[in-house]
């Protein structure tokens, strides 16, 4: 079935650094979404992308829907401590399995010790 | 409330007992999802309800797991004869089933299940 490969699995950030993560798939998707999960909470939608090639920003966050429709990236600029958490990408394909929505395994952001 | 509500927030049970987890989706949302998240892991799809259509049960890990959604609103996830490996956070999410935002799931805070 469809799968998403999300990388990196984890990373450490230092305040002020830029962060980049991405998701790739062997299948095409109609929509790409990025969620963030804070400890003890459910994931919250950050950015939704609906068109191939689309580049969307939300504050310090920027995400792109790959032109091939098989990948997406999320960048966080000038990271701050509250950026820590788990970031999930998700791809949607109307008529697909799992309620049409496939999640990546997440990228865990932690603060550098 | 305005968001997805799940109960209980925490449940500790003994191996072999049955548990029920409840989800109240956002009013008017026709799509409802259940996911399982083990410690530090990703979201494991369990089941998906969409309106009056037959649910997609393809993610349920065994026949000890079942879920229903009554009246197109509240959903209950039932785990029978719980095992220690069932310990996880069970997340519910709902979505307004319009083409422009079908992927915009709203998650509850989860029910943390611990099986002793």
């Amino acid at each position: 079935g469809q799968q998403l490969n999300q990388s990196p699995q984890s990373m450490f950030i230092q305040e002020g650094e830029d962060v980049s993560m991405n998701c790739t798939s062997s299948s095409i998707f109609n929509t790409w979404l990025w969620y963030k999960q804070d400890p003890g909470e459910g994931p919250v939608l950050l950015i939704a992308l609906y068109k191939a090639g689309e580049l969307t920003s939300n504050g310090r966050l920027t995400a792109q829907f790959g032109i091939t429709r098989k990948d997406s990236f999320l960048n966080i600029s000038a990271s701050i401590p509250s950026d820590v958490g788990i970031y999930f990408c998700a791809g949607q394909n109307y008529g697909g399995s799992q309620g049409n929505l496939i999640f990546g395994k997440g990228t865990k952001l932690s603060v550098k010790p | 409330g305005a968001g997805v509500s799940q109960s209980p927030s925490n449940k500790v049970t003994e191996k072999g007992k049955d548990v029920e987890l409840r989800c109240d989706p956002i009013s008017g949302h026709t799509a409802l999802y259940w996911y399982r998240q083990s410690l530090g892991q990703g979201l494991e799809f369990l089941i998906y309800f969409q309106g009056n259509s037959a649910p997609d049960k393809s993610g349920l890990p065994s026949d000890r797991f079942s879920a229903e959604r009554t009246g197109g609103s509240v959903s209950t996830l039932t785990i029978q004869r719980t095992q220690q490996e069932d310990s996880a956070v069970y997340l519910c999410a709902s979505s307004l089933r319009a083409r422009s935002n079908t992927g915009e799931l709203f998650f509850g805070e989860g029910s943390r299940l611990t099986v002793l």
Side-chain angles (χ1 to χ4, degrees), chain A residues 36-54:
Chain A
K36 184 196 177 194
Q37 184 179 30
D38 290 325
E41 306 284 331
V44 174
L45 181 68
L46 297 174
I47 291 181
L49 301 155
Y50 299 106
K51 288 176 58 176
E54 180 180 357

Side-chain angles (χ1 to χ4, degrees), chain B residues 14-94:
Chain B
E14 293 179 347
K15 178 182 173 181
K17 294 283 180 68
D18 297 351
V19 296
E20 285 189 350
L21 307 176
R22 177 188 167 104
C23 174
D24 279 282
I26 293 173
S27 178
H29 281 195
T30 59
L32 187 147
Y33 301 73
W34 282 99
Y35 293 90
R36 179 168 70 176
Q37 186 174 30
S38 300
L39 185 63
Q41 300 300 308
L43 302 173
E44 178 187 2
F45 169 78
L46 297 178
I47 190 168
Y48 162 66
F49 295 91
Q50 172 52 46
N52 295 320
S53 302
D56 176 356
K57 304 180 181 180
S58 61
L60 295 178
S62 76
D63 59 8
R64 295 187 296 104
F65 288 72
S66 63
E68 62 178 22
R69 188 178 185 193
T70 55
S73 181
V74 172
S75 177
T76 302
L77 177 68
T78 301
I79 308 172
Q80 296 178 309
R81 304 181 302 282
T82 52
Q83 304 293 312
Q84 288 182 332
E85 60 263 28
D86 299 335
S87 297
V89 175
Y90 290 83
L91 289 161
C92 175
S94 70

Side-chain angles (χ1 to χ4, degrees), chain A residues 31 33 35 37 40-45 48 50 86 88 92 94 96-101 103-106, chain B residues 33 35 37 40-43 45 48 56 58 91 97 99-110 112:
Chain A
T31 302
L33 306 115
Y35 287 81
Q37 184 179 30
E41 306 284 331
V44 174
L45 181 68
Y50 299 106
I86 304 177
F88 293 102
Q92 184 164 43
Y94 307 121
S97 61
Q98 302 187 14
N100 307 328
L101 197 63
F103 278 91
K105 295 191 182 302
Chain B
Y33 301 73
Y35 293 90
Q37 186 174 30
Q41 300 300 308
L43 302 173
F45 169 78
Y48 162 66
D56 176 356
S58 61
L91 289 161
R97 195 66 178 176
R99 183 171 178 86
S100 63
N101 59 2
T102 47
E104 296 180 20
L105 271 60
F106 293 82
F107 283 84
E109 294 189 344
R112 180 176 297 278

Side-chain angles (χ1 to χ4, degrees), chain A residues 11-28:
Chain A
M11 57 193 309
F12 289 91
I13 59 173
Q14 195 156 40
E15 188 169 354
E17 286 181 341
D18 294 344
V19 171
S20 184
M21 61 191 79
N22 69 84
C23 268
T24 61
S25 172
S26 57
S27 307
I28 62 172

